[in-house]
Amino acid sequence: MSALHGARIHITGVVQGVGFRPFVYGLAKKLALTGWVRNTSAGVHIEVDGSEQAIARFVSALVEDAPPLARIDDIQVEACAPNAHSSFEIMASETIPEAYQPVSPDVSTCADCMREMRDASDRRYRYPFTNCTNCGPRFTIIEDIPYDRPNTTMAEFPMCAQCAEEYEDPLDRRFHAQPVACPQCGPQIWLEEGGRRVSEREEALQAVRSMLREGCIVAVKGLGGFHLACDATDAEAVVELRRRKLRVDKPFAVMMPDMNAVNAHCLMNEVERRLLESHERPIVILKRRAESNIVPEVAPGQDTLGVMLPYTPLHFLLLETETGYPNALVMTSGNLKEEPIATQNEEARENLNQLADAFLMHDRGIRTRCDDSVVCAIEDDLYPLRRSRGYAPFPVHLDWESPPMLAVGAELKNAFCLTQARYAFLSHHIGDMENYETLRSFEDGVAHYERLFRTKPEALAYDLHPDYLATRYALERSEHEGLPAVGVQHHHAHIAACMAEHGLDGDSPVIGVAFDGTGYGSDGAIWGGEFLLADYSSFERPFHLSYVSMPGGDAAVRQPWRLALAWLDRAGLAWAPDLPPVQAADSTALQTVRRMLSLGLNAPLTSSMGRLFDAVSALAGVRQTVNFEAQAAIEFEMLVDAEETGAYDFTFEEEEIDAAPLVEAVVEDLRSGTAVEKIAARFHNGVAAMVLKSCELIRERGGSRKVVLSGGVWQNQILLTRTLAQLRERDFEVYIHRQVPTNDGGIALGQAAVALQVLRER
Ligand code: ZN
Ligand code: ZN
Ligand code: FE
């Protein structure tokens, strides 16, 4: 027998609540190693005795065969004298003050749990809270670390003898699965109508299913909050839901029971299939089939559907298909307009009373509100649009060490970012910070992250917009706590976010193409069509879209016809009565806009690409007023004639890129009866060509060949894929978002990266 060796191993990453210790235990037994494994609040600690060869095999298997949900960030192995252990054991967890580690996001129900739930002889048959070490709630139920049951909202459910046995058995799939539960000891569901509990358990489930079939709207408590559910094939129910929710035509997400159902309603490729089935279970944007019987009112005027698969046992039971019904449920956030989704039973009873006919409740508490995530597939990979349930609070890995800092994000689609060492903990989706409730949710979220990750920010980063609630929060906190605070220009932050997630070092500036709706510019104007030559600490602005007035300010965002008129004016064209935006306004409105433009009153200047999309969409007669952000641009994109290769021109004058010739060409095309599909194509092609030309000019002047695309406009898939193709053809190296959203939901990461570098150089 070879000589006995010893080793101490320390592992960090997501290694708790993911079945890591049982895996270590099994592996040690297999290799005949003795010693112990233990969770600490800094990671996992292992000590082993065995032959040199067995230890080496053990270490490589730890990394290579780790359980599916584990994410190893670092493994340190240190040789030591053997300790004469007689067996291999799992030791009690140890709390190390100040230590922290990543917390696992929530994980959709695994195949083993599904099997048990469908097995009539299993004690968890049809139990809506079945879970194990490989699946179930995590982030949404955690109050504090270490991740043990007393620190979760499961604390109030004492385990029955059988559950406790599974929990204690290292060889059981539920060994130390903190939310473990069964029908005897765990949470339960019930149905409430008119404030009364009318049925429970299986009976409640069947009642909800028949209510949905009859066209009712039911509030369903889920993992990260309440949904409002109704039959997606029932036009009356969907229209009624829109009426109650005060939501005119912003699309609803749909949950479908399985891939067969998704296939029947939507087209999808392999990447989209993989994203749908991934354990994060996001909403995936798919092209809908023309023959689908999902009513158009689910996503009015759109050729796509946001689709997700069930991700908790309760969802599976709600959508089971033995009866062929329901085939698709609208599952939209349980809130009124843009308020935060309800998470507490009492809150739901109060706020959703006018919205839901009944409530499917349960008694497992939700600690952290977490909306469904939204993604689409670009080329062969994920492109995040909203990063929340299933992804948060998983960190983005930084390529550098960062002190604890808090970046507060922007106003719309807010998410904040807390950095610590090499981790950037980008928060779940907080929402639009326009009301008190969302601000409260933001403050609670920040406090929760600081506690979970045992960190206190030493610096703050914020958007330059003085009226953003998040900006005010940062400035007040900076004053209160005497912390340095760094204001970061909005589009610089967009570009830096994309650089940071790709680990670009920023040693030499990249070409950043930041296209979005609104961002506060360094000159006080509203930017959004920006070419930046940027590193982390600073940027130049070699080109930008030329400024145009927004008559009425925010009113021009809601009424794109106003922007179309401003652009006609700028291009020196008359407001002729044959043009759609002129027809959209009555004579008083036209006079008002005329006055605003000539006097420059209530007509802030903007270089926004998002607003140019709005203006041209209105000019082409597609949409004159919008009910949600980017609606005019989305409908314009949908029309693009894929065969059309023509492109409208922009002119370059010094650092200004003028769209006046483009506006002129659109009017000419309209008057010659060109199909709107061709106009839409020529516009998209024109913008892509303009991006290429700008990047080439910057490169010729000694700029970079690295191009970074960020900002909300890059959610436009046609523009994105055409721009990517053109840039690559001319040998540019192009970076797009893969981990955080390209819209303002990803901006906090960039703020943190910029602020760190600025502070270093101060
Ligand atoms: Zn499971
Ligand atoms: Zn039990
Ligand atoms: Fe933005």
Side-chain angles (χ1 to χ4, degrees):
M1 194 178 158
S2 57
L4 205 58
H5 286 74
R8 286 194 197 103
I9 301 162
H10 185 63
I11 303 171
T12 55
V14 176
V15 285
Q16 293 182 13
V18 294
F20 200 76
R21 284 173 306 167
F23 154 72
V24 173
Y25 180 88
L27 191 62
K29 290 271 177 200
K30 199 173 87 187
L31 294 168
L33 298 172
T34 57
W36 50 260
V37 56
R38 140 152 94 195
N39 274 351
T40 75
S41 36
V44 167
H45 242 94
I46 305 169
E47 203 173 290
V48 283
D49 289 351
S51 73
E52 196 170 7
Q53 195 193 7
I55 291 176
R57 280 179 55 199
F58 179 70
V59 170
S60 64
L62 282 177
V63 178
E64 279 155 29
D65 305 334
L69 300 179
R71 292 276 281 262
I72 294 177
D73 290 333
D74 190 34
I75 175 162
Q76 284 179 13
V77 184
E78 184 192 331
C80 63
N83 275 300
H85 300 290
S86 57
S87 63
F88 195 88
E89 276 172 62
I90 295 178
M91 308 233 296
S93 300
E94 183 189 27
T95 304
I96 302 173
E98 306 303 308
Y100 73 98
Q101 58 179 321
V103 167
S104 168
D106 301 282
V107 181
S108 66
T109 309
C110 75
D112 289 330
C113 286
M114 283 301 299
R115 199 171 318 115
E116 289 172 344
M117 242 184 30
R118 287 177 171 146
D119 175 358
S121 69
D122 193 278
R123 66 193 196 90
R124 290 190 177 83
Y125 179 55
R126 298 183 67 80
Y127 179 54
F129 302 92
T130 305
N131 66 79
C132 73
T133 4
N134 300 319
C135 73
R138 297 287 187 276
F139 175 58
T140 52
I141 62 164
I142 293 179
E143 312 256 12
D144 202 356
I145 55 166
Y147 174 57
D148 282 326
R149 194 171 178 108
N151 283 333
T152 71
T153 61
M154 282 299 291
E156 58 189 279
F157 298 96
M159 278 181 251
C160 69
Q162 271 177 295
C163 283
E165 208 172 288
E166 294 167 333
Y167 182 89
E168 301 295 345
D169 177 1
L171 297 178
D172 193 280
R173 202 173 90 248
R174 295 197 166 85
F175 177 68
H176 280 234
Q178 305 307 340
V180 67
C182 77
Q184 270 62 55
C185 66
Q188 299 295 346
I189 56 169
W190 68 90
L191 182 66
E192 274 184 34
E193 269 184 85
R196 274 185 332 112
R197 198 187 264 235
V198 292
S199 54
E200 298 184 348
R201 305 197 184 196
E202 196 60 35
E203 205 188 317
L205 204 56
Q206 295 316 322
V208 169
R209 286 166 57 93
S210 52
M211 285 187 81
L212 290 169
R213 189 195 287 262
E214 284 157 20
C216 293
I217 296 165
V218 182
V220 178
K221 186 176 183 183
L223 193 56
F226 277 80
H227 282 118
L228 290 166
C230 75
D231 183 345
T233 62
D234 181 337
E236 247 173 83
V238 177
V239 168
E240 178 62 13
L241 177 57
R242 289 205 174 277
R243 192 188 64 77
R244 293 187 196 172
K245 224 171 120 67
L246 307 177
R247 184 146 146 172
V248 185
D249 46 14
K250 193 171 172 187
F252 287 140
V254 178
M255 188 179 272
M256 299 182 189
D258 52 31
M259 288 308 261
N260 286 337
V262 183
N263 238 327
H265 293 294
C266 298
L267 300 164
M268 61 187 153
N269 60 31
E270 267 320 299
V271 188
E272 289 160 339
R273 189 181 301 270
R274 189 181 45 131
L275 292 172
L276 274 169
E277 291 185 307
S278 66
H279 63 70
E280 291 89 354
R281 289 289 153 97
I283 295 168
V284 183
I285 307 294
L286 301 173
K287 278 262 180 299
R288 67 175 286 163
R289 287 183 191 271
E291 66 270 27
S292 159
N293 67 337
I294 289 179
V295 295
E297 287 82 357
V298 168
Q302 306 216 7
D303 59 355
T304 56
L305 277 175
V307 179
M308 61 184 150
L309 291 174
Y311 53 85
T312 71
L314 183 56
H315 296 143
F316 281 104
L317 293 169
L318 211 53
L319 281 129
E320 66 194 340
T321 48
E322 282 84 278
T323 56
Y325 181 88
N327 189 249
L329 283 182
V330 165
M331 287 287 261
T332 188
S333 42
N335 58 1
L336 190 65
K337 281 181 134 177
E338 303 300 323
E339 285 174 12
I341 46 173
T343 56
Q344 308 303 312
N345 295 355
E346 208 34 64
E347 181 191 9
R349 284 181 193 112
E350 206 169 294
N351 298 350
L352 306 182
N353 189 30
Q354 306 296 319
L355 281 73
D357 299 312
F359 291 84
L360 183 58
M361 295 286 201
H362 64 70
D363 52 0
R364 187 175 70 198
I366 298 174
R367 168 57 187 84
T368 301
R369 166 180 296 122
C370 213
D371 293 68
D372 294 318
S373 294
V374 186
V375 308
C376 66
I378 293 289
E379 300 189 323
D380 56 354
D381 210 352
L382 168 144
Y383 193 62
L385 302 173
R386 184 203 285 157
R387 182 185 184 275
S388 204
R389 178 189 49 75
Y391 301 96
F394 200 78
V396 175
H397 286 258
L398 299 174
D399 240 41
W400 52 82
E401 287 278 329
S402 176
M405 295 204 308
L406 172 67
V408 296
E411 175 97 335
L412 298 180
K413 302 184 171 69
N414 181 277
F416 59 85
C417 180
L418 198 62
T419 60
Q420 168 92 293
R422 282 175 180 262
Y423 293 129
F425 297 102
L426 186 69
S427 79
H428 54 292
H429 172 77
I430 301 290
D432 295 349
M433 298 261 283
E434 294 172 320
N435 52 56
Y436 175 72
E437 288 72 24
T438 315
L439 177 64
R440 281 298 317 278
S441 179
F442 168 88
E443 289 171 342
D444 173 67
V446 169
H448 190 44
Y449 273 59
E450 288 179 14
R451 188 172 52 246
L452 273 186
F453 301 117
R454 297 291 187 267
T455 182
K456 269 277 163 223
E458 291 166 11
L460 297 155
Y462 61 92
D463 191 278
L464 292 177
H465 200 303
D467 296 334
Y468 281 4
L469 289 181
T471 298
R472 291 196 201 157
Y473 168 91
L475 292 175
E476 272 165 34
R477 193 164 166 183
S478 155
E479 170 126 4
H480 247 95
E481 298 177 22
L483 298 174
V486 179
V488 182
Q489 199 280 322
H490 189 92
H491 303 96
H492 186 202
H494 268 306
I495 299 304
C498 193
M499 291 169 70
E501 71 164 75
H502 287 286
L504 300 187
D505 58 21
D507 286 350
S508 58
V510 301
I511 301 173
V513 187
F515 284 176
D516 68 357
T518 300
Y520 196 82
S522 315
D523 58 2
I526 299 166
W527 292 9
E530 315 304 314
F531 290 86
L532 307 181
L533 201 51
D535 55 22
Y536 287 111
S537 64
S538 63
F539 67 90
E540 288 168 34
R541 189 186 182 211
F543 294 112
H544 61 86
L545 267 192
S546 51
Y547 287 125
V548 68
S549 297
M550 289 169 65
D554 279 346
V557 179
R558 291 188 302 271
Q559 302 174 340
W561 60 265
R562 291 170 180 253
L563 292 160
L565 295 182
W567 268 110
L568 285 171
D569 224 36
R570 214 197 122 83
L573 297 168
W575 294 355
D578 65 324
L579 297 173
V582 180
Q583 289 163 6
D586 59 29
S587 59
T588 336
L590 287 175
Q591 271 172 33
T592 311
V593 170
R594 170 64 68 212
R595 207 164 37 242
M596 285 171 171
L597 288 174
S598 55
L599 299 176
L601 277 177
N602 193 14
L605 292 177
T606 186
S607 58
S608 161
M609 180 56 84
R611 296 291 89 82
L612 181 63
F613 266 85
D614 287 352
V616 178
S617 175
L619 191 55
V622 176
R623 185 160 273 280
Q624 307 302 333
T625 60
V626 300
N627 300 306
F628 60 91
E629 202 197 359
Q631 187 179 15
I634 291 168
E635 292 179 6
F636 199 39
E637 176 190 0
M638 250 177 55
L639 291 170
V640 168
D641 175 348
E643 307 297 313
E644 171 63 31
T645 53
Y648 296 131
D649 274 336
F650 290 79
T651 49
F652 284 66
E653 214 162 42
E654 315 238 306
E655 75 279 0
E656 291 211 9
I657 302 172
D658 195 349
L662 176 152
V663 170
E664 224 170 300
V666 173
V667 170
E668 225 165 85
D669 272 352
L670 276 173
R671 290 193 168 136
S672 67
T674 307
V676 66
E677 289 79 6
K678 284 204 188 320
I679 295 179
R682 289 173 189 175
F683 176 69
H684 282 76
N685 294 342
V687 175
M690 178 272 278
V691 172
L692 176 63
K693 184 173 173 190
S694 310
C695 291
E696 290 200 303
L697 285 170
I698 298 170
R699 181 167 62 181
E700 278 164 25
R701 297 174 194 168
S704 170
R705 56 179 284 273
K706 288 194 169 107
V707 177
V708 173
L709 306 180
S710 187
V713 166
W714 295 111
Q715 292 173 112
N716 182 316
Q717 296 199 22
I718 290 183
L719 179 67
L720 177 62
T721 47
R722 292 188 181 181
T723 304
L724 279 170
Q726 295 200 23
L727 285 168
R728 287 190 189 129
E729 200 184 291
R730 300 295 179 87
D731 206 30
F732 283 100
E733 204 176 295
V734 194
Y735 297 87
I736 64 172
H737 285 282
R738 292 300 187 187
Q739 296 187 60
V740 309
T742 194
N743 55 49
D744 287 3
I747 214 165
L749 174 64
Q751 292 175 341
V754 170
L756 174 67
Q757 197 54 36
V758 167
L759 288 170
R760 275 186 183 155
E761 292 177 12
R762 256 186 201 171

